[in-house]
Amino acid sequence: MTISSEPETWRQLLAMRISDLDERRRIAQLTGVDEATLKRYAEGKTRRIRPHLLRPLVATWPSEERPLLTRLILEEFPDFVPSDQPASVNGLNRTGAPTAIPPEVYERALHAHATTPLSNRFWVISNLVLCAALEQLDPEPHPVGVEVVLVQCMPCHHNESVGCLREVFLLGTPPWRTDQITPLFLGAESLSGYAVTTARPAICQNLRTNPAFLPMRMEAYEESAVAYPLLQGERVGGCLLVAAAQIDFFTPARLQLVNAYADLAVLALRDDQFYQKQAIQLRAMPATDVQQAHFASFRRRVNEIISAPDRQVANIVQAEQLVWSQLAEELMSLNP
């Protein structure tokens, strides 16, 4: 099929091509986007499209018309980054399975590591890496429900050992509502605890029936989960935890992708936030409701430290870190 007259938008170009039933079926099969969604794209009825989701569309387009489609997409989405590898677009192969982190994600992470002030580096890189991981692991238009969590080692206040872990940064797609979730402390009872203690990946494809990682902390809709350690040589800084609302979600390709994102997330941590394996001495942490009861005093305690005449911290970030450390000690003491 050849386009006889040049359209003004990529949506018009798409409409022309999918007007042919066989072509519409071919594009749907190769992109993993169903035919009804392709029609909504063409008709402008889709309110929000993440630009990276259009890369598989470009990859399936006839080579002689691909530059035209790319140019028209760029007119609507200036931040769209076309792929030079049609067989693997945005880390997705022709079946829609993730294969690799897109090169531009590496470029942005390395640039942030090189140029972001140390005080903001953790949050900037964590946000960049987790957003990219979530978009690639659970893309629209048919998200399964995935949560990605950056988990850090929490050193004990009185010595150099690591007694627990803390969920520091988390993002998710429905049914997860990460804007309403209070990050928890995790310990030896958790999948993350196993990954950090052994410095090896922990994989559970069915949290309901697999006894290997029970007891463990989990949400009502969490069906499978993996945790990959954040490694710097022989030292461990935490892990990247990924949970899905689907049994057997983590195919070999997705496991490879999570592993790659865990390696990339290492850039968010400082050198002094990694610990030798012998320093990892995790305790079991109390249940969620017990932790949340203690967290209720968090803001008040931070304000007290900041307003103290003889305060020992330079800023609110240090005050918050001190309170988190105190809370961790208190909660660990409940499970001697």
Side-chain angles (χ1 to χ4, degrees), residues 18-34:
I18 65 175
S19 63
D20 181 275
L21 180 59
D22 291 338
E23 187 71 354
R24 182 163 72 243
R25 288 174 177 170
R26 182 190 72 86
I27 294 173
Q29 182 179 12
L30 292 178
T31 62
V33 179
D34 61 65

Side-chain angles (χ1 to χ4, degrees), residues 2-323:
T2 303
I3 304 300
S4 58
S5 60
E6 183 169 305
E8 296 181 357
T9 70
W10 70 270
R11 296 178 190 273
Q12 291 177 2
L13 180 60
L14 176 62
M16 292 178 184
R17 183 155 295 281
I18 65 175
S19 63
D20 181 275
L21 180 59
D22 291 338
E23 187 71 354
R24 182 163 72 243
R25 288 174 177 170
R26 182 190 72 86
I27 294 173
Q29 182 179 12
L30 292 178
T31 62
V33 179
D34 61 65
E35 294 182 38
T37 300
L38 287 174
K39 291 182 67 176
R40 288 198 298 272
Y41 283 178
E43 296 167 359
K45 294 181 178 179
T46 302
R47 295 182 180 178
R48 178 172 174 264
I49 301 176
R50 295 176 181 176
H52 78 272
L53 296 176
L54 297 176
R55 291 179 186 166
L57 184 66
V58 175
T60 64
W61 217 255
S63 59
E64 67 275 10
E65 295 171 3
R66 198 173 294 150
L68 172 61
L69 176 62
T70 300
R71 177 173 62 80
L72 293 174
I73 290 175
L74 284 167
E75 290 179 5
E76 181 171 342
F77 302 104
D79 57 342
F80 174 73
V81 180
S83 172
D84 294 326
Q85 303 295 328
S88 179
V89 185
N90 191 35
L92 299 176
N93 62 21
R94 289 184 179 270
T95 64
T99 58
I101 299 177
E104 63 268 19
V105 175
Y106 282 110
E107 293 171 4
R108 290 167 58 199
L110 290 170
H111 180 74
H113 186 268
T115 60
T116 305
L118 188 60
S119 58
N120 293 328
R121 182 187 297 168
F122 174 83
W123 301 108
V124 171
I125 296 179
S126 296
N127 183 65
L128 188 159
V129 171
L130 267 63
C131 282
L134 188 63
E135 288 187 351
Q136 198 170 358
L137 286 167
D138 200 23
E140 295 179 350
H142 302 295
V144 170
V146 169
E147 181 189 45
V148 290
V149 186
L150 193 63
V151 180
Q152 270 192 279
C153 292
M154 282 290 294
C156 296
H157 189 62
H158 57 278
N159 58 40
E160 296 299 319
S161 67
V162 175
C164 69
L165 312 171
R166 185 167 77 89
E167 297 176 331
V168 184
F169 199 101
L170 61 165
L171 295 172
T173 55
W176 275 275
R177 291 292 305 275
T178 50
D179 57 326
Q180 298 178 2
I181 295 176
T182 301
L184 297 175
F185 290 108
L186 306 174
E189 79 292 342
S190 65
L191 195 72
S192 296
Y194 180 90
V196 171
T197 300
T198 62
R200 298 174 58 187
I203 303 167
C204 190
Q205 297 284 13
N206 190 333
L207 296 172
R208 309 293 167 180
T209 62
N210 189 338
F213 296 112
L214 299 176
M216 66 192 315
R217 196 177 318 283
M218 57 191 291
E219 303 285 355
Y221 33 76
E222 190 172 340
E223 300 290 350
S224 57
V226 298
Y228 275 78
L230 307 181
L231 301 175
Q232 187 185 73
E234 297 181 351
R235 301 190 301 162
V236 187
C239 71
L240 180 65
L241 173 65
V242 183
Q246 177 179 296
I247 294 172
D248 295 325
F249 176 78
F250 295 98
T251 61
R254 289 188 175 117
L255 291 174
Q256 181 179 353
L257 190 63
V258 175
N259 190 5
Y261 273 110
D263 290 342
L264 189 59
V266 166
L267 293 176
L269 275 60
R270 304 189 309 269
D271 288 348
D272 63 353
Q273 292 176 316
F274 293 87
Y275 303 87
Q276 297 291 342
K277 285 181 61 177
Q278 58 267 29
I280 310 294
Q281 302 174 16
L282 300 184
R283 309 268 288 276
M285 298 303 289
T288 300
D289 57 344
V290 176
Q291 293 196 38
Q292 290 178 340
H294 279 68
F295 295 161
S297 65
F298 177 79
R299 189 51 54 192
R300 173 182 58 79
R301 294 167 69 162
V302 170
N303 291 336
E304 289 175 353
I305 292 174
I306 289 294
S307 59
D310 58 342
R311 73 181 192 183
Q312 303 298 311
V313 298
N315 52 52
I316 191 170
V317 174
Q318 292 183 7
E320 290 177 343
Q321 292 173 342
L322 177 58
V323 173

